Structure formats: structure tokens, C-alpha cells
Amino acid sequence: RSSDLEADEASNVVNLVSSFPYESIPLSSEEEGEPKSITTPLKRILPSNHKNMVVPNNTDLIPGVYEGGLKVWECSLDLCYYITQQLLLLQNNRTFDKNDLSILELGCGHGLPSCLLLRELLGKAFNMTVLFSDYNEFVLRDVTLPNVLLNTLLPSSTAQDSEKLTSSVGMVSGDWLQLSIHLSNNTLPQISSLGDQYKPPQDGKFDVILMAETTYTTLAARQTAFLILHHLKLPLSRSLEHKNIDKGDDSGGVAFVASKRYYFGVGGGVDVFREECQTLKLVVDDDTHGDDENKRTSWWKLQVETVQVYDNGKGNIRELLKVTPYLVVDE
């Protein structure tokens, strides 16, 4: 009898989700002209009027008040296109533990890249979790959550599927640096739209971090680099050399940052983000090399690699960056 009630609840959720107004987003890019491995479009909710806050129609963001989460940004779609190309690689990449995959999407807005990964991987290849983070709580409730439900729950979904989803997805709003503190102290205050079953990594470090359009000012680029350095899973091997990062023989995490090359008038972009990554370092407190007389300090830094360039000759060039940690030992 209990299972019947649970099945009815799951059915009610699916019926509710199917009533949401949405549009389909094909997982292909006219700029690339390459065949994609995934043909099922993503769905994204069409936001209605928001009672929580009035967002002017001609305003993409209001710094410190509204950070643009209602808009589907170009670079977010670039990240989705890249994921469709690399999904099989991600599933087989030895960087990820086969039984556990933790994902953080920073500045998620509609959260489409992580929705895609949830739809394709949840319950299929990994025991995965996703933490959606956006500055505005109403964005998470009004667009991120509906998008998660639209893309993961089907008419055939069961109560077990719903339960799996609630334990796999977390949502948190607020400032990035406060997020970092909560992750480091394991005190994350979640939005309870999907329940309280989600548990972030105990050490606050993730296998995958996804970001799109989070480098639009110098400060935002610096904070993006900071979050990656402090919350991306570090390689287990303390002897990792810079040249060995891509050999797939270690268990460090990977971040993907989709960004415009320049954000005119506000100072951010790819080059600024690279500079911030070069500047930042995370000193290894408990690790020294050599004897007492010749101790050498070590620290973690970030390598940034461009893996895709999007240039249609009509607008701002966009890049997709792969970011990985590497260890530096002071000689």
C-alpha cells in the first residue's frame, strides 16, 4: 500500500512537471557542424513573472542584487554542446571514481549543463551528486528546479527515480565566498525544494566544477579561480608534475569554464581569468620535501587549457577552458 502511495506521488510530480511552459534546446551547434552523440533536446522553463523581485526587461544583471540567472547565456549552451561531444569520454575518464561523481555548477542560473549530465548519467553510470549554486534563491526555485525536473523525470519515472533525484541534487544561494566557507566547514545551508537528502562532499571538494559566464569582471574572474582552486578535488599523488596532468593516471578533478574572450567595459574575460589562475596558489600546509636542513614548500596551482573556440565571425569570440590542478615544489 505504501509503494502505491509513493508511485502516486511520483506520478503527480511528473504530471505537474509536464504542465510547465518550456522550450526545447537542440544539442547541436551551427558553428561547429559536427555530428553530436545526443539527439534528445534539453528543456528549459519559460520564466513567468517573479513575485520575489522585479527584474527590468532591459537588464541582464544588477551586481550584488540580481546576477542574471533568468537568462540563458551563450556560454552555457557552449558548455552543453561540449558535454554532448565529450560525454562518453567523461564516463570513461579515469579521473573520476566509477562509483562516485560529485559536481558543482557555480552561478548556475538555468543549470542546463548539469541538467544534461543528470539526465544522461544519473542511475546509469555513476552514483552522482550535483550542487547547483546561484546568487539568487528565487532563480533556483523558479528556473533551476523546474529545469531539473523537466529534464530528469519522465512519464515512466517511478517513486524510486524521484527518491534517487532528491538524494542526488542540492541547491544553495548566496555569495560565492560564503559558499566556500560553508563547503570548507561542511555547514552548507541548502534550499529544501528537493528535500534534505543531498550531502555535499565532506571535504568540500568536487570531481567536476562547471561555470559559464562567471568571469565577466576582474573580481568575478578572481573569485571563479579561487573557488576552483579551493574546491576542486586535488590529485592524490603529491609528486604530480605539470606535464603529467592529462595522462589520466591520477584522481584529481577537472573544471570547465565557458567564457567570452572579452567582456567590454567591465574588465573580465578569458585573459583576465588566466592571469588570476597564474597568481593564485594554495600552499600545502602538511607537506615538505627534503630533510630538516633543506625543506621545500609545495603549493597547488591551476593549469588553464583552451579546448574549444567558438567564433562565428559576427560577435564576441567565446572559449571553453579546461582547468586542472598541479603541484609546484619550491626548488
Side-chain angles (χ1 to χ4, degrees), residues 255-308:
F256 292 102
V257 180
S259 173
K260 292 183 175 70
R261 188 167 288 179
Y262 305 104
Y263 289 89
F264 298 102
V266 287
V270 170
D271 289 343
V272 173
F273 175 70
R274 287 182 182 275
E275 291 171 4
E276 294 298 337
C277 287
Q278 284 295 315
T279 301
L280 290 177
K281 63 182 180 180
L282 180 62
V283 176
V284 180
D285 294 329
D286 61 347
D287 194 27
T288 54
H289 301 265
D291 54 31
D292 291 339
E293 295 182 0
N294 300 291
K295 286 185 177 181
R296 294 176 295 169
T297 302
S298 60
W299 58 85
W300 293 101
K301 290 184 68 68
L302 295 174
Q303 173 180 267
V304 182
E305 171 192 358
T306 297
V307 295
Q308 194 85 46

Side-chain angles (χ1 to χ4, degrees), residues 15-34:
N15 290 334
L16 175 62
V17 169
S18 63
S19 69
F20 294 162
Y22 70 88
E23 70 173 357
S24 295
I25 299 178
L27 292 173
S28 61
S29 172
E30 295 178 358
E31 297 171 11
E32 299 171 61
E34 299 179 1

Side-chain angles (χ1 to χ4, degrees), residues 96-316:
F96 307 137
D97 189 297
K98 293 182 179 179
N99 297 316
D100 192 11
L101 177 63
S102 57
I103 299 171
L104 167 64
E105 185 167 351
L106 182 67
C108 64
H110 281 255
L112 296 177
S114 293
C115 286
L116 173 59
L117 286 171
L118 277 169
R119 189 187 75 183
E120 297 299 322
L121 297 182
L122 184 61
K124 297 178 182 178
F126 297 102
N127 176 24
M128 68 182 297
T129 59
V130 178
L131 178 60
F132 293 89
S133 170
D134 193 272
Y135 188 84
N136 298 109
E137 181 174 337
F138 79 91
V139 168
L140 293 169
R141 291 189 185 278
D142 294 346
V143 295
T144 314
L145 176 58
N147 283 342
V148 170
L149 299 176
L150 275 170
N151 287 287
T152 57
L153 294 182
L154 305 172
S156 58
S157 295
T158 65
Q160 186 176 6
D161 295 328
S162 298
E163 183 178 352
K164 179 71 174 176
L165 186 63
T166 60
S167 62
S168 299
V169 174
M171 297 186 179
V172 61
S173 64
D175 176 81
W176 291 350
L177 297 185
Q178 287 299 313
L179 170 65
S180 177
I181 293 172
H182 285 304
L183 287 172
S184 299
N185 296 329
N186 200 19
T187 57
L188 192 68
Q190 297 176 55
I191 294 175
S192 58
S193 302
L194 282 172
D196 57 0
Q197 298 182 49
Y198 168 83
K199 302 297 180 186
Q202 289 190 347
D203 61 358
K205 297 184 183 296
F206 295 82
D207 296 297
V208 180
I209 300 179
L210 303 174
M211 288 143 289
E213 309 273 10
T214 61
T215 63
Y216 61 92
T217 67
T218 301
L219 177 60
R222 182 179 305 125
Q223 291 180 342
T224 297
F226 178 91
L227 262 291
I228 294 174
L229 183 60
H230 285 79
H231 298 289
L232 192 63
K233 183 182 288 186
L234 299 173
L236 294 178
S237 172
R238 290 293 176 86
S239 61
L240 182 67
E241 295 293 334
H242 191 288
K243 62 184 178 181
N244 292 332
I245 285 175
D246 290 321
K247 288 189 175 181
D249 55 357
D250 209 270
S251 59
V254 59
F256 292 102
V257 180
S259 173
K260 292 183 175 70
R261 188 167 288 179
Y262 305 104
Y263 289 89
F264 298 102
V266 287
V270 170
D271 289 343
V272 173
F273 175 70
R274 287 182 182 275
E275 291 171 4
E276 294 298 337
C277 287
Q278 284 295 315
T279 301
L280 290 177
K281 63 182 180 180
L282 180 62
V283 176
V284 180
D285 294 329
D286 61 347
D287 194 27
T288 54
H289 301 265
D291 54 31
D292 291 339
E293 295 182 0
N294 300 291
K295 286 185 177 181
R296 294 176 295 169
T297 302
S298 60
W299 58 85
W300 293 101
K301 290 184 68 68
L302 295 174
Q303 173 180 267
V304 182
E305 171 192 358
T306 297
V307 295
Q308 194 85 46
V309 176
Y310 302 89
D311 182 8
N312 60 11
K314 300 177 183 178
N316 202 337

